[in-house]
Amino acid sequence: MSHETVAIIWFGLWGLIWTVYFVLDGYTLGTGMLFPFLAKNRQERNQLQEAVGPFWGGNEVWLITAGGATFAAFPAVYADLFSFLYTPMMLILFALFFRAAGLEFMHKDESKRWQTSWKWAFTISSVALALLFGVAFANLFYGLKIGPSGYEGTFLGLLHPYGLLGGLLFTSLFIVSGALWIMIKTVGDVAQRAYQIARPASVVAAVVLSLFFVATSNRTTLFDNFTKAPILWIVPALTFVCALLMLLFVWQKRIGLAFANICLTIFTLMATGFIGMFPNMLPSRIDEKYSTTLFEAAGSELNLKIMLGVAIVMVPIIISYQLWSYKLFKEKITKETAKGYQ
Amino acid sequence: MSDVLLLSRFQFAITVFYHFLFVPLTIGLIVLIAWMETQHVRTKNPLYRQMADFWGKLFAINFVLGVVTGITMEFQFGTNWSEYSKYMGDIFGSPLAIEALVAFFLESTFMGIWLFGKDKISPKLRAFSIWMVALGTNISALWIITANGFMQNPVGYIERNGRIELQNFWEVVTNPYAWHMFVHTIVSCYIVGAFFVMAVSAWHLLRKQHVVFFEKSFKYALILGLIATTATPFIGHKSASFAAKMQPAKGAALEAVWETKEGLPFHIIQIPDPKNERNIVEFLTIPKLGSYFYTHSFDGKVVGFDQIPKDERPNVNIVFYSFRLMVALGLYFVALCWYGFYLYRKNKLIESKRFLKVVMYSVLLPYVAINAGWVVAEVGRQPWTVYGLMRTAEAVSPISLSQILFSLVSLVVFYTILLIADVYLMLKYAKKGPYASTATKGGEVQHVS
């Protein structure tokens, strides 16, 4: 296996790890965004906490792995991406603090003020994370203002219409994912209310997704790779098909299938983005020559091969015990039995 | 630019200290909880399960902050030390990725299983889950210290394409510097865990409440504390003398050695004067002992600052006093644990109010000691970020002053809020005692012992 081949494999893995993170944390972020609107009392809050409680920590490690894999396999991208996007990255970190603490600390004290503060910390952080990740990845697809001397843009400069549309897209997809997850995991009023939200939210998500694809084709060069190798169109086509199926299944109230399709929508959406970026990892909006490609950023051949070996051994093990944990907690959570975070 | 560098270093120090307020307790406490769960499987005595539930609840509060502050560390090399990351990423990045793959997934997934499944799953599965958490936390320390070990003692690399590239992975993972630090760190974390359990137990024992429960907890922690504190001086000594051999500047700073000497004496009381490159006070001197500490020979040669260029020296005062503080505290922990053991054997532990009070008020000292130890390791390596290869000043990101000010101020504010919440909850649940935390249905668990 040549250095180039293993670098390309790592680009694929890099995209895959980010994608798995968004698919998995999507439902937790969605649950967080909907939390105060679905749960009207302590028992119902317990239900929602328990719907994500056993899993969110393990899911968030996919984000840490994404960071670690970027660092290990593409050090130059790790260095530039996070220092170029310094302010949004810091905001993401702050939101991650309060998402976790909000969820876990909320019921650890009986004071009303305590509970309300952490509850809203959980929700606002979840909204912020969905928006920020959406804006950040839309900007990666769009291209950053990278010039001869590095990053020339500003934080507010990232909030152009296409970036904001990306934020809106992530937010709406995650809300659908969260609402469906809650319906899968719980019974009773919260599940009912989740369905009330899932229906309009699925329409909004599908509309925003369409707008995002139109904007992508008009405003970015992301689809160039697809034009070059038309077989690849199958990926964004799948995004559309899955989104439509999701919509259909939501309205038919076939929630398991709807959830599977929202996950596939997120998956193929991210795949479309990463295929479109290839071989760039830090695309420059100013001039192609300032872009960083995966070949320029890749770590040494030995490092990439060793890390590939570690990933091949570890990832199946991780997936099997994570699946086992989902199986262990497959029972629906009722109002009466829910304990939440005590 | 120098302001950005200074503030970036400040931010790194704050975030790493803050992270390390939670990590040692995670690593130390989980071993005790796993032991309790194992005892529950073996004896079927519900007291052990109750113990695991109570300490597990405190563990969980601490754990979540360890996780979130760890994420800051994971991304901060990129945000604030991008030049370092570009130069070093080929070697430094992989231990971090491996840490996530082999350790973080394990501990986080099984923590979720234990926390939400403990009333559903069998005692054996409870014990298995918590051992997986323990394994994960301990392995994570190994990988992050492997990464840090490279910064202390770069091995297995080649300088190529304007950066450091991996040449021998085996050398990186068997780096003796890393293994010295790993063993020293892990054992110190067990001291933190043991003292935490002893201190909380002492608080209840002083009030004569839940006596059976907290006497047993105290005993478990005391055993771990005895082993860990007794081993630490030997492990720490090996670690320090090895560090001094590999990094003479750090070595010279440990005892503030200004002149290279054979048969270096050791001063129990010593006050360095870095400006004039001498010690102002050298008191209670033991001849030749210093050489023995450094070289295991009373006549061994110890390198002093006279052989080290001025721009390659760390801040002597910080390293010297942190080292002394750590060693003094380490010896105090040994004495305290052995005295506790003596009282325990005499069956006088519960009556010895003064001892229990001393233990209670000592709860934060292991945190001080372990952080002082890291100050020695990290400040002692300065001005290098990677020893001999890259200076800290060359490692910083080209970010603006306003960016670093924004992140530094926000981090301090948010971390303070989280710390206040954490301390409040830890105190609250530690004081509440076992009954409130047990999830067992049908009232109190009986004491059987």
Side-chain angles (χ1 to χ4, degrees):
Chain A
M1 210 175 354
S2 73
H3 193 183
E4 276 196 0
T5 316
V6 72
I8 292 171
I9 293 175
W10 261 108
F11 178 80
L13 277 174
W14 176 76
L16 185 69
I17 295 168
W18 278 108
T19 304
V20 172
Y21 168 67
F22 287 126
V23 169
L24 292 176
D25 210 19
Y27 74 72
T28 306
L29 291 170
T31 304
M33 288 190 268
L34 296 173
F35 193 87
F37 310 105
L38 297 185
K40 301 290 180 198
N41 53 49
R42 175 73 171 259
Q43 267 76 35
E44 290 177 355
R45 287 200 295 274
N46 285 344
Q47 267 181 294
L48 294 191
Q49 287 181 357
E50 209 163 311
V52 294
F55 317 114
W56 80 266
N59 292 346
E60 198 177 271
V61 180
W62 286 98
L63 171 65
I64 302 177
T65 309
T70 315
F71 201 170
F74 304 102
V77 170
Y78 172 85
D80 283 341
L81 180 60
F82 298 129
S83 58
F84 287 175
L85 303 181
Y86 189 85
T87 307
M89 195 57 220
M90 284 294 155
L91 295 174
I92 284 173
L93 291 177
F94 304 154
L96 286 168
F97 302 162
F98 285 96
R99 189 269 290 261
L103 172 61
E104 296 211 3
F105 286 177
M106 193 188 306
H107 286 168
K108 286 200 158 46
D109 196 88
E110 293 308 315
S111 127
K112 188 100 186 103
R113 228 174 78 194
W114 173 280
Q115 296 194 350
T116 313
S117 314
W118 289 112
K119 181 176 77 181
W120 285 103
F122 178 43
T123 298
I124 293 166
S125 304
S126 299
V127 176
L129 283 169
L131 279 171
L132 286 163
F133 276 126
V135 170
F137 275 84
N139 270 285
L140 271 186
F141 300 158
Y142 187 74
L144 296 164
K145 279 192 179 163
I146 304 170
S149 56
Y151 188 56
E152 293 170 5
T154 58
F155 173 54
L156 291 177
L158 300 171
L159 303 175
H160 47 76
Y162 185 76
L164 291 172
L165 192 60
L168 210 58
L169 177 64
F170 272 41
T171 311
S172 59
L173 289 172
F174 293 169
I175 284 177
V176 175
S177 178
L180 295 172
W181 180 253
I182 290 164
M183 292 180 71
I184 290 171
K185 295 302 290 178
T186 65
V187 286
D189 294 344
V190 277
Q192 290 284 319
R193 286 183 210 122
Y195 189 55
Q196 300 300 320
I197 288 181
R199 279 197 301 189
S202 62
V203 177
V204 172
V207 171
V208 176
L209 182 70
S210 315
L211 287 175
F212 187 78
F213 272 174
V214 172
T216 302
S217 109
N218 289 335
R219 294 291 178 92
T220 75
T221 52
L222 206 67
F223 286 146
D224 290 3
N225 279 341
F226 296 85
T227 318
K228 273 182 241 159
I231 180 88
L232 292 171
W233 281 111
I234 203 163
V235 182
L238 271 174
T239 314
F240 257 112
V241 172
C242 293
L244 288 173
L245 284 173
M246 177 272 291
L247 209 55
L248 178 74
F249 289 131
V250 166
W251 286 79
Q252 289 184 347
K253 219 177 173 182
R254 292 158 82 181
I255 300 309
L257 284 168
F259 182 73
N261 276 287
I262 187 77
C263 291
L264 285 169
T265 307
I266 299 171
F267 192 96
T268 50
L269 168 72
M270 295 310 293
T272 304
F274 290 126
I275 292 171
M277 281 168 71
F278 181 90
N280 281 336
M281 296 185 83
L282 285 171
S284 166
R285 187 91 187 153
I286 294 174
D287 194 318
E288 184 62 31
K289 68 181 178 213
Y290 302 126
S291 299
T292 306
T293 68
L294 73 99
F295 305 109
E296 291 159 356
S300 69
E301 189 175 347
L302 179 65
N303 173 32
L304 291 183
K305 283 185 176 168
I306 287 171
M307 288 306 299
L308 185 61
V310 174
I312 288 171
V313 174
M314 289 314 298
V315 171
I317 298 175
I318 292 159
I319 290 177
S320 32
Y321 63 65
Q322 288 206 331
L323 282 177
W324 178 66
S325 94
Y326 280 96
K327 207 181 137 212
L328 202 63
F329 296 101
K330 67 175 192 293
E331 264 173 61
K332 292 220 181 218
I333 303 150
T334 66
K335 228 179 194 171
E336 291 72 33
T337 55
K339 292 207 193 74
Y341 281 96
Q342 289 171 320
Chain B
M1 196 60 198
S2 67
D3 283 345
V4 171
L5 174 66
L6 190 70
L7 293 172
S8 298
R9 289 184 65 178
F10 202 52
Q11 178 173 308
F12 196 88
I14 287 175
T15 49
V16 79
F17 269 133
Y18 189 83
H19 180 51
F20 216 63
L21 287 178
F22 306 105
V23 173
L25 186 61
T26 301
I27 293 173
L29 185 55
I30 196 65
V31 179
L32 284 169
I33 300 171
W35 187 11
M36 291 162 189
E37 287 281 21
T38 309
Q39 285 297 85
H40 181 229
V41 173
R42 283 174 51 188
T43 64
K44 303 203 167 50
N45 181 347
L47 173 66
Y48 291 114
R49 182 193 163 125
Q50 206 186 3
M51 279 162 69
D53 281 346
F54 172 76
W55 297 109
K57 181 155 199 160
L58 296 175
F59 176 85
I61 296 168
N62 178 71
F63 183 77
V64 63
L65 289 184
V67 170
V68 295
T69 54
I71 300 178
T72 310
M73 303 313 301
E74 172 91 12
F75 289 97
Q76 199 171 201
F77 298 104
T79 51
N80 294 80
W81 303 96
S82 62
E83 293 307 311
Y84 167 83
S85 302
K86 269 180 225 173
Y87 187 67
M88 287 286 302
D90 198 52
I91 284 190
F92 192 84
S94 19
L96 297 196
I98 297 174
E99 186 184 17
L101 288 170
V102 302
F104 291 154
F105 274 117
L106 196 67
E107 59 177 347
S108 297
T109 308
F110 281 94
M111 190 61 203
I113 291 172
W114 187 81
L115 209 55
F116 283 89
K118 59 184 167 33
D119 299 326
K120 296 178 191 154
I121 57 182
S122 70
K124 270 189 188 158
L125 206 48
R126 276 179 62 129
F128 174 74
S129 305
I130 212 76
W131 273 113
M132 288 300 111
V133 180
L135 190 67
T137 55
N138 280 266
I139 295 179
S140 80
L142 174 64
W143 287 101
I144 192 63
I145 290 174
T146 298
N148 184 270
F150 187 87
M151 300 167 79
Q152 305 284 357
N153 177 36
V155 288
Y157 71 92
I158 180 170
E159 209 165 357
R160 194 164 51 195
N161 304 323
R163 64 179 180 185
I164 294 300
E165 291 196 351
L166 181 66
Q167 195 176 36
N168 188 331
F169 187 64
W170 183 247
E171 276 182 31
V172 174
V173 294
T174 56
N175 185 349
Y177 205 113
W179 282 93
H180 276 101
M181 285 203 297
F182 170 67
V183 177
H184 189 31
T185 306
I186 285 289
V187 178
S188 310
C189 291
Y190 293 164
I191 298 178
V192 172
F195 270 66
F196 177 81
V197 171
M198 286 197 286
V200 174
S201 302
W203 190 86
H204 288 281
L205 291 173
L206 280 166
R207 281 160 185 76
K208 302 269 181 246
Q209 52 197 20
H210 316 295
V211 172
V212 180
F213 182 97
F214 283 109
E215 203 188 357
K216 192 117 208 157
S217 300
F218 197 105
K219 182 185 139 191
Y220 272 43
L222 184 61
I223 294 171
L224 180 68
L226 263 184
I227 299 169
T229 56
T230 309
T232 299
F234 299 99
I235 293 167
H237 167 68
K238 273 214 76 172
S239 175
S241 55
F242 187 75
K245 199 168 88 185
M246 304 311 286
Q247 296 181 21
K250 184 187 277 178
L254 293 179
E255 297 295 347
V257 183
W258 301 103
E259 285 166 46
T260 305
K261 230 184 218 160
E262 286 167 18
L264 181 79
F266 175 74
H267 316 290
I268 295 177
I269 296 186
Q270 181 182 342
I271 298 176
D273 174 15
K275 213 180 235 167
N276 301 309
E277 306 199 0
R278 62 184 177 126
N279 297 316
I280 312 173
V281 175
E282 293 179 346
F283 186 56
L284 294 176
T285 301
I286 305 168
K288 298 196 177 197
L289 186 62
S291 272
Y292 185 79
F293 281 155
Y294 278 95
T295 62
H296 297 132
S297 148
F298 288 106
D299 295 311
K301 189 170 127 185
V302 180
V303 176
F305 281 117
D306 54 351
Q307 295 199 359
I308 294 159
K310 278 204 165 150
D311 67 339
E312 289 183 15
R313 295 178 192 176
N315 183 316
V316 177
N317 272 337
I318 295 179
V319 177
F320 174 83
Y321 286 114
S322 300
F323 184 65
R324 291 254 155 160
L325 180 66
M326 175 188 71
V327 173
L329 286 170
L331 296 173
Y332 166 73
F333 301 150
V334 182
L336 202 65
C337 282
W338 280 98
Y339 185 62
F341 183 64
Y342 162 80
L343 290 174
Y344 180 78
R345 289 300 297 264
K346 293 257 171 189
N347 258 326
K348 282 186 191 162
L349 192 64
I350 306 175
E351 292 95 77
S352 317
K353 289 207 165 176
R354 199 192 297 164
F355 173 74
L356 291 176
K357 268 186 195 159
V358 170
V359 169
M360 203 176 80
Y361 288 118
S362 299
V363 64
L364 295 180
L365 296 179
Y367 289 96
V368 175
I370 200 167
N371 279 295
W374 276 106
V375 167
V376 173
E378 296 297 290
V379 177
R381 193 191 57 233
Q382 302 300 328
W384 302 102
T385 188
V386 185
Y387 187 72
L389 285 178
M390 185 181 219
R391 283 171 186 264
T392 309
E394 302 161 335
V396 73
S397 294
I399 51 169
S400 69
L401 190 60
S402 60
Q403 282 175 314
I404 181 72
L405 274 174
F406 153 75
S407 62
L408 180 59
V409 172
S410 317
L411 279 164
V412 169
V413 170
F414 293 143
Y415 274 8
T416 307
I417 295 172
L418 290 172
L419 187 62
I420 291 170
D422 175 76
V423 171
Y424 169 72
L425 288 178
M426 291 296 264
L427 284 174
K428 178 183 160 180
Y429 284 100
K431 285 179 179 176
K432 216 168 177 178
Y435 293 120
S437 76
T438 176
T440 316
K441 279 168 211 147
E444 291 186 2
V445 176
Q446 283 181 339
H447 283 157
V448 190
S449 75

